[in-house]
Amino acid sequence: MKASFVLAIGLGMLVPCYDATAAESHVLTEERGLALATELRTQKPAETFTSSGMLRSRDSNGRWRAQIPVQLEVKIGVDSWQSVYRALDAKGALIETLVVTHYESSPNRYEHWQRPNSSNKSAVDGVLTGEAAAVPFAESDFWLSDLGLEFLHWPGQRLAGHEMRKGRACYILESVNPSQRGSAYARVRSWVDTEHRGILRAEAYDSSNKLVKEFSVGSFKKVDGKWQLKSMEIRDERTDARTRLEFDLEFEER
């Protein structure tokens, strides 16, 4: 709540004089932010589909490692939907699987499996929720929780304004983590396209308000009335390592 102070003559103290308009505006931005976050996390794809792509990662020294083939399968349920990510080796054998189940009124559920003797030692197998899902997928800079847009489930959401990104009009959404101590991210700032409600860019900050990661969408296009994503990238601000996820979709980039 914004407050200005006036000197109370004769009392020798400062008395707060609250700006009711500013207070109402603050509440309104929180209501709009929560409504936008709810809309984003409950968007269900229109139909089941499968797409192939590649994960390309660059380390902090600028060296790109070998591409990792990936498959994305989206499955539609009655009150939920699933995003299934599969990482494959050069011969097409399965090495890692992530199933993100998105519910309309419940937290995400992350199911993660790796091939025995996997080199991805920092990831955990089994069923995960919340902060426990902040572990890498296929040794990349994408965490399981990043792929599930976990920050949209935080209770603290605020509409922080409007701005242009990639030539598109965007809402700015601020998401605040309720449990910041020892957490992966304390705050996430997102730019959401006002037309198709897709996140074009997101910045994640730690509890010291230092930038941790940057997420950006590469190219997309509306196909048969639906927005299709071709590429996205995430960069670790602390190491300058980055990972790009590219899908095999044929259309003219914008």
Side-chain angles (χ1 to χ4, degrees):
M1 180 176 290
K2 182 180 180 181
S4 57
F5 293 91
V6 295
L7 182 63
I9 304 298
L11 295 179
M13 62 180 294
L14 293 175
V15 179
C17 178
Y18 295 105
D19 185 339
T21 302
E24 292 172 0
S25 177
H26 181 72
V27 172
L28 188 59
T29 59
E30 289 186 334
E31 290 178 349
R32 289 177 175 175
L34 185 58
L36 179 57
T38 300
E39 179 185 353
L40 292 173
R41 71 170 180 260
T42 57
Q43 284 180 341
K44 184 187 294 186
E47 57 190 16
T48 296
F49 70 87
T50 302
S51 179
S52 299
M54 288 285 180
L55 265 178
R56 301 183 65 231
S57 294
R58 194 195 75 173
D59 63 23
S60 57
N61 295 315
R63 293 188 296 264
W64 290 91
R65 68 171 181 169
Q67 297 184 94
I68 299 176
V70 294
Q71 293 177 344
L72 170 61
E73 181 181 6
V74 171
K75 302 177 180 180
I76 310 301
V78 176
D79 60 352
S80 66
W81 58 280
Q82 291 182 327
S83 298
V84 184
Y85 295 87
R86 300 183 180 93
L88 313 174
D89 63 18
K91 297 180 179 180
L94 183 64
I95 57 176
E96 195 165 337
T97 301
L98 167 64
V99 180
V100 185
T101 303
H102 308 263
Y103 298 97
E104 293 183 359
S105 57
S106 302
N108 286 342
R109 173 187 170 98
Y110 300 86
E111 299 172 78
H112 185 246
W113 300 275
Q114 298 178 88
R115 185 168 65 186
N117 302 318
S118 169
S119 58
N120 191 10
K121 303 302 181 183
S122 56
V124 180
D125 281 354
V127 178
L128 308 170
T129 57
E131 294 293 328
V135 291
F137 175 71
E139 298 184 83
S140 75
D141 298 294
F142 282 105
W143 290 340
L144 311 186
S145 53
D146 292 332
L147 294 171
L149 300 179
E150 185 66 25
F151 60 89
L152 294 177
H153 289 267
W154 297 342
Q157 306 287 341
R158 183 175 74 93
L159 187 62
H162 302 77
E163 195 171 87
M164 296 295 293
R165 282 284 177 179
K166 296 180 69 66
R168 307 283 302 176
C170 294
Y171 296 117
I172 301 175
L173 178 66
E174 293 249 354
S175 308
V176 180
N177 193 338
S179 56
Q180 298 187 10
R181 179 175 297 179
S183 300
Y185 307 142
R187 177 173 65 94
V188 175
R189 187 175 177 89
S190 309
W191 283 260
V192 183
D193 191 299
T194 59
E195 180 183 356
H196 71 77
R197 293 299 200 267
I199 297 177
L200 300 185
R201 179 182 174 85
E203 297 174 348
Y205 296 83
D206 63 16
S207 56
S208 299
N209 205 33
K210 292 182 179 179
L211 183 62
V212 177
K213 284 185 180 180
E214 293 178 330
F215 165 89
S216 62
V217 164
S219 53
F220 55 92
K221 186 180 180 181
K222 190 175 256 186
V223 179
D224 296 329
K226 303 180 183 65
W227 288 96
Q228 301 290 336
L229 175 67
K230 182 164 185 177
S231 66
M232 58 183 178
E233 181 174 287
I234 196 164
R235 185 176 74 89
D236 191 318
E237 173 68 17
R238 299 160 298 184
T239 64
D240 197 35
R242 64 186 63 197
T243 298
R244 185 176 301 151
L245 180 55
E246 301 173 333
F247 297 100
D248 294 334
L249 299 175
E250 295 299 329
F251 53 74
E252 181 182 354
E253 297 186 8
R254 62 181 304 151

